[in-house]
Amino acid sequence: MKIITVERKVLKKNDEVAAENRETFRRQGIFAINLLSSPGAGKTTLLEKTIAALAGALRLAVVEGDVQTDLDAQRISRQGVPVVQIVTHGACHLEAPLVQDAMARLAMDSIDLLIIENVGNLVCPASFDLGEHVKVIVASTPEGDDKPIKYPKMFRVCDVCVLNKIDLLPHVDFDTERFKRFALEINPRITFFETSARTGEGVEEWVEWLRRRSAPAR
Amino acid sequence: MKIITVERKVLKKNDEVAAENRETFRRQGIFAINLLSSPGAGKTTLLEKTIAALAGALRLAVVEGDVQTDLDAQRISRQGVPVVQIVTHGACHLEAPLVQDAMARLAMDSIDLLIIENVGNLVCPASFDLGEHVKVIVASTPEGDDKPIKYPKMFRVCDVCVLNKIDLLPHVDFDTERFKRFALEINPRITFFETSARTGEGVEEWVEWLRRRSAPAR
């Protein structure tokens, strides 16, 4: 799979282009998610497991956002899924025009599910609508159970929280109930999944949710 | 210990105020470090262990930067160290004027070592000089060994890298040599410490370095 790197100066206003992206998703029957997290929470590993589990069931494509390197796109492309890398060259979040450029490099009429992996950052990406249907925060147990109240905006804008690295629970100071209570205080409608992308535990529930949400859009 | 929360609109240019901060540190004989990391890498826990180890040896003060909450300042103040909390209300990094305001609330003539704990973010804080002598990146093993090349600017601007959560090494896919090789590619002069702030392993070497670096400034 060829990796195309998109780099463009942001010209139009973010929200205007996000609305155009949303309209493209609607027209093409694509379910689009924006995957957000701290650096190293396991977004790419979760994505690898998700792609493997969805093989044959949904036509998937990925947009990878990174400050630097196309390492993540290389990992995804090894699974035979169309992927476009956005390198932000220092910028701390994706914006809708960059995603629109990436979309122009994908066969949008043969995609059921588009996953946009944002830059690893719990602050800035929360403020930028990319046109996605759902924002998903991937939190990981080693980061600590206080993250929802320390980074409230991120948890407020996300509809789904994947709590990842549950295989490390015996080895870290993390109280899952406390974490969920904090997240629900910030955002009472947030839906949780608990996974270990590394071992595969819990990934099936998350994948089933993606399958169910992607289906009506087709 | 009273926690004072500093909130101010940034008025002066960052670098101008950073130079003023630097001059204050020089005049008062203070060694100042800027502690940076992803969310949840263990900065505050490392700080707690550092304070305990330095008790009686150095007069320490802390400036805590957080997007929201004074949880970290509460943790630090329980150790009897002067602490000022900066709440950025959504902003993704500390700037020098905020730190200057915080400094105005500390007895700067009775401090040997000032530790500024920045907002948890591997991108934006790398671009803002606070006037500190040394920037320290706290990386943690669950984040993965590819972080130096994925967030190169942060590793380029830091003089010291504390690799934390080494107690989790048996449970995560992390190659310490690969991590160090990547970091040295970005920044050949970076100094490493390896710690588990949770168990205390390796903290003494880091504390010894702080002790040595803080001493000549007095």
Side-chain angles (χ1 to χ4, degrees):
Chain A
M1 184 61 56
K2 194 153 153 261
I3 298 170
I4 301 154
T5 298
V6 171
E7 300 166 22
R8 186 176 78 160
K9 284 200 169 38
V10 175
L11 298 172
K12 288 194 200 174
K13 283 198 170 55
N14 187 77
D15 287 356
E16 187 185 332
V17 180
E20 292 173 9
N21 292 351
R22 192 171 286 113
E23 173 55 22
T24 302
F25 298 143
R26 192 198 61 73
R27 205 172 51 241
Q28 301 284 3
I30 296 171
F31 181 58
I33 71 167
N34 182 356
L35 211 54
L36 302 136
S37 82
S38 300
K43 291 191 299 303
T44 313
T45 306
L46 180 67
L47 204 40
E48 288 173 327
K49 293 292 165 84
T50 301
I51 292 166
L54 285 172
L58 288 175
R59 295 168 302 171
L60 205 146
V62 173
V63 173
E64 278 293 338
D66 280 290
V67 172
Q68 203 54 268
T69 81
D70 63 359
L71 288 180
D72 287 351
Q74 288 178 36
R75 285 172 63 180
I76 298 305
S77 74
R78 279 197 283 274
Q79 300 195 274
V81 161
V83 57
V84 179
Q85 176 78 51
I86 299 172
V87 176
T88 67
H89 290 296
C92 53
H93 61 274
L94 290 183
E95 297 192 8
L98 283 167
V99 173
Q100 188 168 66
D101 271 4
M103 285 158 58
R105 284 154 178 84
L106 290 167
M108 295 295 282
D109 55 354
S110 25
I111 296 171
D112 301 311
L113 170 61
L114 179 70
I115 301 184
I116 305 161
E117 184 179 335
N118 218 309
V119 173
N121 182 339
L122 272 197
V123 189
C124 319
S127 301
F128 292 85
D129 180 15
L130 306 178
E132 73 280 339
H133 297 96
V134 171
K135 285 186 173 70
V136 177
I137 168 74
V138 181
S140 68
T141 60
E143 293 171 62
D145 50 31
D146 59 356
K147 289 302 153 293
I149 52 172
K150 291 187 72 179
Y151 300 86
K153 182 166 189 179
M154 183 57 83
F155 284 81
R156 195 172 296 125
V157 301
C158 285
D159 308 278
V160 170
C161 172
V162 178
L163 177 60
N164 193 32
K165 307 196 187 183
I166 57 170
D167 58 307
L168 294 178
L169 279 172
H171 312 293
V172 295
D173 300 317
F174 186 94
D175 180 336
T176 304
E177 291 316 309
R178 188 165 180 256
F179 172 84
K180 288 185 176 176
R181 195 170 62 244
F182 283 152
L184 288 168
E185 271 172 27
I186 303 292
N187 181 354
R189 65 177 169 68
I190 203 162
T191 301
F192 297 100
F193 295 95
E194 296 177 40
T195 64
S196 166
R198 189 171 179 245
T199 68
E201 189 184 348
V203 171
E204 184 45 36
E205 288 79 357
W206 152 250
V207 166
E208 181 50 38
W209 178 85
L210 279 177
R211 207 180 276 128
R212 209 169 51 240
R213 287 298 305 263
S214 305
R218 279 183 290 179
Chain B
M1 184 61 52
K2 193 152 155 261
I3 298 169
I4 300 154
T5 298
V6 171
E7 300 167 23
R8 186 176 81 160
K9 283 200 170 36
V10 175
L11 298 173
K12 288 194 200 175
K13 282 196 171 56
N14 186 76
D15 287 355
E16 188 185 332
V17 180
E20 293 173 8
N21 292 351
R22 193 172 285 112
E23 173 54 22
T24 302
F25 298 143
R26 192 198 61 73
R27 205 172 50 241
Q28 302 285 3
I30 296 170
F31 181 59
I33 71 168
N34 182 357
L35 210 54
L36 303 136
S37 81
S38 300
K43 289 191 300 304
T44 313
T45 306
L46 181 68
L47 204 39
E48 288 172 328
K49 293 292 165 82
T50 301
I51 292 166
L54 285 173
L58 287 176
R59 295 168 301 170
L60 205 146
V62 174
V63 173
E64 278 293 337
D66 280 290
V67 173
Q68 202 57 267
T69 81
D70 64 359
L71 288 180
D72 287 351
Q74 288 177 35
R75 286 173 60 181
I76 297 306
S77 74
R78 279 196 283 273
Q79 301 195 271
V81 161
V83 56
V84 178
Q85 175 78 51
I86 300 172
V87 176
T88 69
H89 290 297
C92 53
H93 60 275
L94 290 184
E95 296 191 10
L98 284 167
V99 174
Q100 189 169 64
D101 271 4
M103 285 159 58
R105 284 153 179 85
L106 290 167
M108 294 296 282
D109 56 354
S110 27
I111 296 170
D112 302 311
L113 170 61
L114 180 69
I115 303 184
I116 305 161
E117 183 179 336
N118 218 310
V119 173
N121 181 338
L122 272 197
V123 190
C124 318
S127 301
F128 292 86
D129 180 14
L130 306 178
E132 73 281 339
H133 297 97
V134 171
K135 285 187 173 72
V136 177
I137 168 77
V138 181
S140 68
T141 60
E143 294 171 61
D145 50 29
D146 59 354
K147 289 303 154 291
I149 51 170
K150 291 187 72 180
Y151 299 87
K153 182 166 190 179
M154 182 57 81
F155 285 81
R156 195 171 296 124
V157 300
C158 285
D159 307 278
V160 171
C161 173
V162 178
L163 178 59
N164 193 32
K165 305 196 186 181
I166 57 170
D167 58 305
L168 294 178
L169 278 171
H171 312 292
V172 295
D173 300 319
F174 186 93
D175 181 335
T176 304
E177 291 316 309
R178 188 166 181 256
F179 172 83
K180 287 184 176 178
R181 195 168 64 245
F182 282 152
L184 288 167
E185 273 172 26
I186 302 292
N187 180 356
R189 65 178 167 68
I190 202 161
T191 301
F192 296 100
F193 296 95
E194 297 178 37
T195 64
S196 166
R198 189 171 179 245
T199 67
E201 190 183 349
V203 171
E204 184 45 36
E205 287 80 357
W206 152 251
V207 166
E208 181 48 38
W209 178 85
L210 279 176
R211 209 181 274 127
R212 209 168 54 240
R213 287 298 305 263
S214 304
R218 277 183 291 178

